[in-house]
Amino acid sequence: MGFATNKLLACLVLVMGIAGMMALHAQETPDVLYLKSGEVIEGKVIGTLPNGAVNFKFSQGTLPYPRNTIQKIELAERPELAKAQDAAAAGDNEQVIQILTPLVDKFLGFQSPWVGQAAGELASALAETGKTFKAVELAKEISRLYPDLPIGTILEANILLTQDKTDEALIKLNSIKESLPVKTTPNVREMQLLGSYHFSLARALEQQQKHAQALENYFIVSAVYPHPKKRANQAQKKADALLAAHSGLMVP
């Protein structure tokens, strides 16, 4: 009995040790630097130097690599983004700004989708806290640096809506309609993007007194693209308010 117990404990320790190593490895996903020379280096991007070189830390030390020597960089997503998204879901925009400002300052311009997403989250938080000028400037920079990522345009539309420039906001939203992902099962990031688009569109349509179309888009956010949950709840409240204010209102 004692032998069996000891054997079981040993197996448990081994399994826990392997699980711990796997978790540690997952947490330490490296950045990957692909050089034009063909060399591939794993490590961590520390930042960008004033001359544009990428400061890269790896097993041999830390070295700056000029941009003209780099073919591609795979930048692992930083945990700060998930923390900021949790703060945004809780409505703590000041915390979002505090978490993401240094991250965006360091990585804005790197061609990794999560960087554009982080910048978008920061711009939204800046707009929500009344820092409109900074939000507008960042939204424009996102659109310039990530032309294939519609979040910058959506952010610009949101800011125009806060200024009651509805027609201009709709022009921006219509300009990216064809570039939005079309999938029956979008991933979480795509759902966030689509939810942002439909929520902005609903706000614009509501400002134009097109209540039925606004209601339809609010329902799309709350039921079809409910990530993040905070925005889905906002959309449902907006839909409920429209239904309460307009008797007999129906989705077209």
mmCIF file with all atom_site columns, all heavy atoms in Angstrom, residues 41-62:
data_model
loop_
_atom_site.group_PDB
_atom_site.id
_atom_site.type_symbol
_atom_site.label_atom_id
_atom_site.label_alt_id
_atom_site.label_comp_id
_atom_site.label_asym_id
_atom_site.label_entity_id
_atom_site.label_seq_id
_atom_site.pdbx_PDB_ins_code
_atom_site.Cartn_x
_atom_site.Cartn_y
_atom_site.Cartn_z
_atom_site.occupancy
_atom_site.B_iso_or_equiv
_atom_site.pdbx_formal_charge
_atom_site.auth_seq_id
_atom_site.auth_comp_id
_atom_site.auth_asym_id
_atom_site.auth_atom_id
_atom_site.pdbx_PDB_model_num
ATOM 1   N N   . ILE A 1 41 ? 16.336 34.122 -35.369 1.00 0.00 ? 41 ILE A N   1
ATOM 2   C CA  . ILE A 1 41 ? 16.743 34.267 -33.967 1.00 0.00 ? 41 ILE A CA  1
ATOM 3   C C   . ILE A 1 41 ? 15.510 34.396 -33.087 1.00 0.00 ? 41 ILE A C   1
ATOM 4   O O   . ILE A 1 41 ? 14.598 35.180 -33.376 1.00 0.00 ? 41 ILE A O   1
ATOM 5   C CB  . ILE A 1 41 ? 17.632 35.511 -33.765 1.00 0.00 ? 41 ILE A CB  1
ATOM 6   C CG1 . ILE A 1 41 ? 18.770 35.534 -34.790 1.00 0.00 ? 41 ILE A CG1 1
ATOM 7   C CG2 . ILE A 1 41 ? 18.192 35.556 -32.344 1.00 0.00 ? 41 ILE A CG2 1
ATOM 8   C CD1 . ILE A 1 41 ? 19.538 36.837 -34.817 1.00 0.00 ? 41 ILE A CD1 1
ATOM 9   N N   . GLU A 1 42 ? 15.473 33.633 -32.009 1.00 0.00 ? 42 GLU A N   1
ATOM 10  C CA  . GLU A 1 42 ? 14.394 33.742 -31.028 1.00 0.00 ? 42 GLU A CA  1
ATOM 11  C C   . GLU A 1 42 ? 14.876 34.565 -29.845 1.00 0.00 ? 42 GLU A C   1
ATOM 12  O O   . GLU A 1 42 ? 16.018 34.441 -29.406 1.00 0.00 ? 42 GLU A O   1
ATOM 13  C CB  . GLU A 1 42 ? 13.945 32.364 -30.550 1.00 0.00 ? 42 GLU A CB  1
ATOM 14  C CG  . GLU A 1 42 ? 13.220 31.555 -31.609 1.00 0.00 ? 42 GLU A CG  1
ATOM 15  C CD  . GLU A 1 42 ? 12.582 30.298 -31.030 1.00 0.00 ? 42 GLU A CD  1
ATOM 16  O OE1 . GLU A 1 42 ? 12.851 29.979 -29.849 1.00 0.00 ? 42 GLU A OE1 1
ATOM 17  O OE2 . GLU A 1 42 ? 11.822 29.623 -31.764 1.00 0.00 ? 42 GLU A OE2 1
ATOM 18  N N   . GLY A 1 43 ? 14.018 35.409 -29.335 1.00 0.00 ? 43 GLY A N   1
ATOM 19  C CA  . GLY A 1 43 ? 14.376 36.247 -28.199 1.00 0.00 ? 43 GLY A CA  1
ATOM 20  C C   . GLY A 1 43 ? 13.236 37.177 -27.848 1.00 0.00 ? 43 GLY A C   1
ATOM 21  O O   . GLY A 1 43 ? 12.074 36.762 -27.841 1.00 0.00 ? 43 GLY A O   1
ATOM 22  N N   . LYS A 1 44 ? 13.556 38.442 -27.602 1.00 0.00 ? 44 LYS A N   1
ATOM 23  C CA  . LYS A 1 44 ? 12.534 39.404 -27.203 1.00 0.00 ? 44 LYS A CA  1
ATOM 24  C C   . LYS A 1 44 ? 12.889 40.786 -27.732 1.00 0.00 ? 44 LYS A C   1
ATOM 25  O O   . LYS A 1 44 ? 14.002 41.272 -27.527 1.00 0.00 ? 44 LYS A O   1
ATOM 26  C CB  . LYS A 1 44 ? 12.417 39.447 -25.679 1.00 0.00 ? 44 LYS A CB  1
ATOM 27  C CG  . LYS A 1 44 ? 11.259 40.296 -25.173 1.00 0.00 ? 44 LYS A CG  1
ATOM 28  C CD  . LYS A 1 44 ? 11.129 40.190 -23.670 1.00 0.00 ? 44 LYS A CD  1
ATOM 29  C CE  . LYS A 1 44 ? 9.944  40.997 -23.160 1.00 0.00 ? 44 LYS A CE  1
ATOM 30  N NZ  . LYS A 1 44 ? 9.813  40.906 -21.683 1.00 0.00 ? 44 LYS A NZ  1
ATOM 31  N N   . VAL A 1 45 ? 11.934 41.401 -28.413 1.00 0.00 ? 45 VAL A N   1
ATOM 32  C CA  . VAL A 1 45 ? 12.117 42.779 -28.858 1.00 0.00 ? 45 VAL A CA  1
ATOM 33  C C   . VAL A 1 45 ? 12.007 43.697 -27.647 1.00 0.00 ? 45 VAL A C   1
ATOM 34  O O   . VAL A 1 45 ? 11.009 43.691 -26.931 1.00 0.00 ? 45 VAL A O   1
ATOM 35  C CB  . VAL A 1 45 ? 11.061 43.167 -29.916 1.00 0.00 ? 45 VAL A CB  1
ATOM 36  C CG1 . VAL A 1 45 ? 11.167 44.653 -30.240 1.00 0.00 ? 45 VAL A CG1 1
ATOM 37  C CG2 . VAL A 1 45 ? 11.242 42.340 -31.176 1.00 0.00 ? 45 VAL A CG2 1
ATOM 38  N N   . ILE A 1 46 ? 13.062 44.474 -27.408 1.00 0.00 ? 46 ILE A N   1
ATOM 39  C CA  . ILE A 1 46 ? 13.084 45.409 -26.272 1.00 0.00 ? 46 ILE A CA  1
ATOM 40  C C   . ILE A 1 46 ? 12.463 46.739 -26.665 1.00 0.00 ? 46 ILE A C   1
ATOM 41  O O   . ILE A 1 46 ? 11.840 47.423 -25.861 1.00 0.00 ? 46 ILE A O   1
ATOM 42  C CB  . ILE A 1 46 ? 14.534 45.629 -25.782 1.00 0.00 ? 46 ILE A CB  1
ATOM 43  C CG1 . ILE A 1 46 ? 15.171 44.281 -25.416 1.00 0.00 ? 46 ILE A CG1 1
ATOM 44  C CG2 . ILE A 1 46 ? 14.566 46.575 -24.588 1.00 0.00 ? 46 ILE A CG2 1
ATOM 45  C CD1 . ILE A 1 46 ? 14.450 43.530 -24.322 1.00 0.00 ? 46 ILE A CD1 1
ATOM 46  N N   . GLY A 1 47 ? 12.610 47.111 -27.928 1.00 0.00 ? 47 GLY A N   1
ATOM 47  C CA  . GLY A 1 47 ? 12.080 48.387 -28.386 1.00 0.00 ? 47 GLY A CA  1
ATOM 48  C C   . GLY A 1 47 ? 12.806 48.819 -29.648 1.00 0.00 ? 47 GLY A C   1
ATOM 49  O O   . GLY A 1 47 ? 13.558 48.047 -30.261 1.00 0.00 ? 47 GLY A O   1
ATOM 50  N N   . THR A 1 48 ? 12.565 50.057 -30.034 1.00 0.00 ? 48 THR A N   1
ATOM 51  C CA  . THR A 1 48 ? 13.189 50.617 -31.230 1.00 0.00 ? 48 THR A CA  1
ATOM 52  C C   . THR A 1 48 ? 14.089 51.776 -30.840 1.00 0.00 ? 48 THR A C   1
ATOM 53  O O   . THR A 1 48 ? 13.697 52.637 -30.046 1.00 0.00 ? 48 THR A O   1
ATOM 54  C CB  . THR A 1 48 ? 12.118 51.113 -32.217 1.00 0.00 ? 48 THR A CB  1
ATOM 55  O OG1 . THR A 1 48 ? 11.209 50.046 -32.486 1.00 0.00 ? 48 THR A OG1 1
ATOM 56  C CG2 . THR A 1 48 ? 12.750 51.570 -33.521 1.00 0.00 ? 48 THR A CG2 1
ATOM 57  N N   . LEU A 1 49 ? 15.285 51.792 -31.382 1.00 0.00 ? 49 LEU A N   1
ATOM 58  C CA  . LEU A 1 49 ? 16.241 52.861 -31.102 1.00 0.00 ? 49 LEU A CA  1
ATOM 59  C C   . LEU A 1 49 ? 15.911 54.092 -31.942 1.00 0.00 ? 49 LEU A C   1
ATOM 60  O O   . LEU A 1 49 ? 15.179 53.997 -32.939 1.00 0.00 ? 49 LEU A O   1
ATOM 61  C CB  . LEU A 1 49 ? 17.652 52.377 -31.394 1.00 0.00 ? 49 LEU A CB  1
ATOM 62  C CG  . LEU A 1 49 ? 18.134 51.182 -30.548 1.00 0.00 ? 49 LEU A CG  1
ATOM 63  C CD1 . LEU A 1 49 ? 19.522 50.754 -30.989 1.00 0.00 ? 49 LEU A CD1 1
ATOM 64  C CD2 . LEU A 1 49 ? 18.118 51.514 -29.068 1.00 0.00 ? 49 LEU A CD2 1
ATOM 65  N N   . PRO A 1 50 ? 16.415 55.273 -31.574 1.00 0.00 ? 50 PRO A N   1
ATOM 66  C CA  . PRO A 1 50 ? 16.129 56.504 -32.342 1.00 0.00 ? 50 PRO A CA  1
ATOM 67  C C   . PRO A 1 50 ? 16.458 56.402 -33.828 1.00 0.00 ? 50 PRO A C   1
ATOM 68  O O   . PRO A 1 50 ? 15.825 57.045 -34.658 1.00 0.00 ? 50 PRO A O   1
ATOM 69  C CB  . PRO A 1 50 ? 16.998 57.551 -31.652 1.00 0.00 ? 50 PRO A CB  1
ATOM 70  C CG  . PRO A 1 50 ? 17.129 57.060 -30.243 1.00 0.00 ? 50 PRO A CG  1
ATOM 71  C CD  . PRO A 1 50 ? 17.194 55.562 -30.355 1.00 0.00 ? 50 PRO A CD  1
ATOM 72  N N   . ASN A 1 51 ? 17.448 55.575 -34.181 1.00 0.00 ? 51 ASN A N   1
ATOM 73  C CA  . ASN A 1 51 ? 17.827 55.430 -35.600 1.00 0.00 ? 51 ASN A CA  1
ATOM 74  C C   . ASN A 1 51 ? 16.963 54.402 -36.329 1.00 0.00 ? 51 ASN A C   1
ATOM 75  O O   . ASN A 1 51 ? 17.190 54.099 -37.499 1.00 0.00 ? 51 ASN A O   1
ATOM 76  C CB  . ASN A 1 51 ? 19.305 55.054 -35.732 1.00 0.00 ? 51 ASN A CB  1
ATOM 77  C CG  . ASN A 1 51 ? 19.628 53.703 -35.095 1.00 0.00 ? 51 ASN A CG  1
ATOM 78  O OD1 . ASN A 1 51 ? 18.756 53.000 -34.581 1.00 0.00 ? 51 ASN A OD1 1
ATOM 79  N ND2 . ASN A 1 51 ? 20.901 53.341 -35.116 1.00 0.00 ? 51 ASN A ND2 1
ATOM 80  N N   . GLY A 1 52 ? 15.952 53.854 -35.627 1.00 0.00 ? 52 GLY A N   1
ATOM 81  C CA  . GLY A 1 52 ? 15.035 52.901 -36.247 1.00 0.00 ? 52 GLY A CA  1
ATOM 82  C C   . GLY A 1 52 ? 15.425 51.447 -36.065 1.00 0.00 ? 52 GLY A C   1
ATOM 83  O O   . GLY A 1 52 ? 14.646 50.549 -36.406 1.00 0.00 ? 52 GLY A O   1
ATOM 84  N N   . ALA A 1 53 ? 16.613 51.189 -35.552 1.00 0.00 ? 53 ALA A N   1
ATOM 85  C CA  . ALA A 1 53 ? 17.054 49.809 -35.354 1.00 0.00 ? 53 ALA A CA  1
ATOM 86  C C   . ALA A 1 53 ? 16.213 49.135 -34.268 1.00 0.00 ? 53 ALA A C   1
ATOM 87  O O   . ALA A 1 53 ? 15.762 49.778 -33.317 1.00 0.00 ? 53 ALA A O   1
ATOM 88  C CB  . ALA A 1 53 ? 18.532 49.775 -34.973 1.00 0.00 ? 53 ALA A CB  1
ATOM 89  N N   . VAL A 1 54 ? 16.014 47.825 -34.424 1.00 0.00 ? 54 VAL A N   1
ATOM 90  C CA  . VAL A 1 54 ? 15.240 47.043 -33.462 1.00 0.00 ? 54 VAL A CA  1
ATOM 91  C C   . VAL A 1 54 ? 16.193 46.460 -32.426 1.00 0.00 ? 54 VAL A C   1
ATOM 92  O O   . VAL A 1 54 ? 17.119 45.717 -32.773 1.00 0.00 ? 54 VAL A O   1
ATOM 93  C CB  . VAL A 1 54 ? 14.463 45.918 -34.169 1.00 0.00 ? 54 VAL A CB  1
ATOM 94  C CG1 . VAL A 1 54 ? 13.771 45.021 -33.143 1.00 0.00 ? 54 VAL A CG1 1
ATOM 95  C CG2 . VAL A 1 54 ? 13.440 46.506 -35.135 1.00 0.00 ? 54 VAL A CG2 1
ATOM 96  N N   . ASN A 1 55 ? 15.971 46.804 -31.179 1.00 0.00 ? 55 ASN A N   1
ATOM 97  C CA  . ASN A 1 55 ? 16.804 46.291 -30.096 1.00 0.00 ? 55 ASN A CA  1
ATOM 98  C C   . ASN A 1 55 ? 16.278 44.920 -29.692 1.00 0.00 ? 55 ASN A C   1
ATOM 99  O O   . ASN A 1 55 ? 15.132 44.788 -29.255 1.00 0.00 ? 55 ASN A O   1
ATOM 100 C CB  . ASN A 1 55 ? 16.754 47.256 -28.908 1.00 0.00 ? 55 ASN A CB  1
ATOM 101 C CG  . ASN A 1 55 ? 18.086 47.339 -28.193 1.00 0.00 ? 55 ASN A CG  1
ATOM 102 O OD1 . ASN A 1 55 ? 19.112 46.929 -28.725 1.00 0.00 ? 55 ASN A OD1 1
ATOM 103 N ND2 . ASN A 1 55 ? 18.087 47.884 -26.987 1.00 0.00 ? 55 ASN A ND2 1
ATOM 104 N N   . PHE A 1 56 ? 17.101 43.892 -29.853 1.00 0.00 ? 56 PHE A N   1
ATOM 105 C CA  . PHE A 1 56 ? 16.650 42.514 -29.689 1.00 0.00 ? 56 PHE A CA  1
ATOM 106 C C   . PHE A 1 56 ? 17.500 41.784 -28.656 1.00 0.00 ? 56 PHE A C   1
ATOM 107 O O   . PHE A 1 56 ? 18.729 41.742 -28.762 1.00 0.00 ? 56 PHE A O   1
ATOM 108 C CB  . PHE A 1 56 ? 16.716 41.786 -31.034 1.00 0.00 ? 56 PHE A CB  1
ATOM 109 C CG  . PHE A 1 56 ? 15.892 40.531 -31.102 1.00 0.00 ? 56 PHE A CG  1
ATOM 110 C CD1 . PHE A 1 56 ? 14.516 40.592 -31.237 1.00 0.00 ? 56 PHE A CD1 1
ATOM 111 C CD2 . PHE A 1 56 ? 16.495 39.284 -31.038 1.00 0.00 ? 56 PHE A CD2 1
ATOM 112 C CE1 . PHE A 1 56 ? 13.745 39.434 -31.316 1.00 0.00 ? 56 PHE A CE1 1
ATOM 113 C CE2 . PHE A 1 56 ? 15.749 38.124 -31.118 1.00 0.00 ? 56 PHE A CE2 1
ATOM 114 C CZ  . PHE A 1 56 ? 14.365 38.199 -31.255 1.00 0.00 ? 56 PHE A CZ  1
ATOM 115 N N   . LYS A 1 57 ? 16.837 41.208 -27.651 1.00 0.00 ? 57 LYS A N   1
ATOM 116 C CA  . LYS A 1 57 ? 17.536 40.470 -26.600 1.00 0.00 ? 57 LYS A CA  1
ATOM 117 C C   . LYS A 1 57 ? 17.390 38.976 -26.857 1.00 0.00 ? 57 LYS A C   1
ATOM 118 O O   . LYS A 1 57 ? 16.277 38.480 -27.061 1.00 0.00 ? 57 LYS A O   1
ATOM 119 C CB  . LYS A 1 57 ? 16.941 40.828 -25.229 1.00 0.00 ? 57 LYS A CB  1
ATOM 120 C CG  . LYS A 1 57 ? 17.636 40.156 -24.060 1.00 0.00 ? 57 LYS A CG  1
ATOM 121 C CD  . LYS A 1 57 ? 17.006 40.607 -22.738 1.00 0.00 ? 57 LYS A CD  1
ATOM 122 C CE  . LYS A 1 57 ? 17.711 39.955 -21.551 1.00 0.00 ? 57 LYS A CE  1
ATOM 123 N NZ  . LYS A 1 57 ? 17.105 40.393 -20.259 1.00 0.00 ? 57 LYS A NZ  1
ATOM 124 N N   . PHE A 1 58 ? 18.507 38.262 -26.858 1.00 0.00 ? 58 PHE A N   1
ATOM 125 C CA  . PHE A 1 58 ? 18.477 36.815 -27.068 1.00 0.00 ? 58 PHE A CA  1
ATOM 126 C C   . PHE A 1 58 ? 19.589 36.174 -26.263 1.00 0.00 ? 58 PHE A C   1
ATOM 127 O O   . PHE A 1 58 ? 20.231 36.846 -25.434 1.00 0.00 ? 58 PHE A O   1
ATOM 128 C CB  . PHE A 1 58 ? 18.573 36.475 -28.565 1.00 0.00 ? 58 PHE A CB  1
ATOM 129 C CG  . PHE A 1 58 ? 19.830 36.961 -29.237 1.00 0.00 ? 58 PHE A CG  1
ATOM 130 C CD1 . PHE A 1 58 ? 20.750 36.066 -29.730 1.00 0.00 ? 58 PHE A CD1 1
ATOM 131 C CD2 . PHE A 1 58 ? 20.089 38.324 -29.390 1.00 0.00 ? 58 PHE A CD2 1
ATOM 132 C CE1 . PHE A 1 58 ? 21.910 36.498 -30.372 1.00 0.00 ? 58 PHE A CE1 1
ATOM 133 C CE2 . PHE A 1 58 ? 21.231 38.764 -30.025 1.00 0.00 ? 58 PHE A CE2 1
ATOM 134 C CZ  . PHE A 1 58 ? 22.145 37.849 -30.508 1.00 0.00 ? 58 PHE A CZ  1
ATOM 135 N N   . SER A 1 59 ? 19.803 34.892 -26.477 1.00 0.00 ? 59 SER A N   1
ATOM 136 C CA  . SER A 1 59 ? 20.726 34.145 -25.620 1.00 0.00 ? 59 SER A CA  1
ATOM 137 C C   . SER A 1 59 ? 22.149 34.680 -25.650 1.00 0.00 ? 59 SER A C   1
ATOM 138 O O   . SER A 1 59 ? 22.903 34.537 -24.685 1.00 0.00 ? 59 SER A O   1
ATOM 139 C CB  . SER A 1 59 ? 20.727 32.662 -26.023 1.00 0.00 ? 59 SER A CB  1
ATOM 140 O OG  . SER A 1 59 ? 21.111 32.522 -27.382 1.00 0.00 ? 59 SER A OG  1
ATOM 141 N N   . GLN A 1 60 ? 22.535 35.327 -26.743 1.00 0.00 ? 60 GLN A N   1
ATOM 142 C CA  . GLN A 1 60 ? 23.891 35.850 -26.872 1.00 0.00 ? 60 GLN A CA  1
ATOM 143 C C   . GLN A 1 60 ? 24.060 37.248 -26.286 1.00 0.00 ? 60 GLN A C   1
ATOM 144 O O   . GLN A 1 60 ? 25.166 37.769 -26.210 1.00 0.00 ? 60 GLN A O   1
ATOM 145 C CB  . GLN A 1 60 ? 24.282 35.890 -28.356 1.00 0.00 ? 60 GLN A CB  1
ATOM 146 C CG  . GLN A 1 60 ? 24.148 34.561 -29.077 1.00 0.00 ? 60 GLN A CG  1
ATOM 147 C CD  . GLN A 1 60 ? 25.105 33.514 -28.544 1.00 0.00 ? 60 GLN A CD  1
ATOM 148 O OE1 . GLN A 1 60 ? 26.253 33.827 -28.243 1.00 0.00 ? 60 GLN A OE1 1
ATOM 149 N NE2 . GLN A 1 60 ? 24.633 32.294 -28.398 1.00 0.00 ? 60 GLN A NE2 1
ATOM 150 N N   . GLY A 1 61 ? 22.939 37.874 -25.894 1.00 0.00 ? 61 GLY A N   1
ATOM 151 C CA  . GLY A 1 61 ? 22.992 39.237 -25.363 1.00 0.00 ? 61 GLY A CA  1
ATOM 152 C C   . GLY A 1 61 ? 21.917 40.101 -25.990 1.00 0.00 ? 61 GLY A C   1
ATOM 153 O O   . GLY A 1 61 ? 20.883 39.600 -26.421 1.00 0.00 ? 61 GLY A O   1
ATOM 154 N N   . THR A 1 62 ? 22.136 41.383 -26.056 1.00 0.00 ? 62 THR A N   1
ATOM 155 C CA  . THR A 1 62 ? 21.186 42.318 -26.663 1.00 0.00 ? 62 THR A CA  1
ATOM 156 C C   . THR A 1 62 ? 21.900 43.096 -27.755 1.00 0.00 ? 62 THR A C   1
ATOM 157 O O   . THR A 1 62 ? 22.948 43.698 -27.517 1.00 0.00 ? 62 THR A O   1
ATOM 158 C CB  . THR A 1 62 ? 20.620 43.296 -25.611 1.00 0.00 ? 62 THR A CB  1
ATOM 159 O OG1 . THR A 1 62 ? 19.982 42.560 -24.573 1.00 0.00 ? 62 THR A OG1 1
ATOM 160 C CG2 . THR A 1 62 ? 19.615 44.249 -26.243 1.00 0.00 ? 62 THR A CG2 1
#
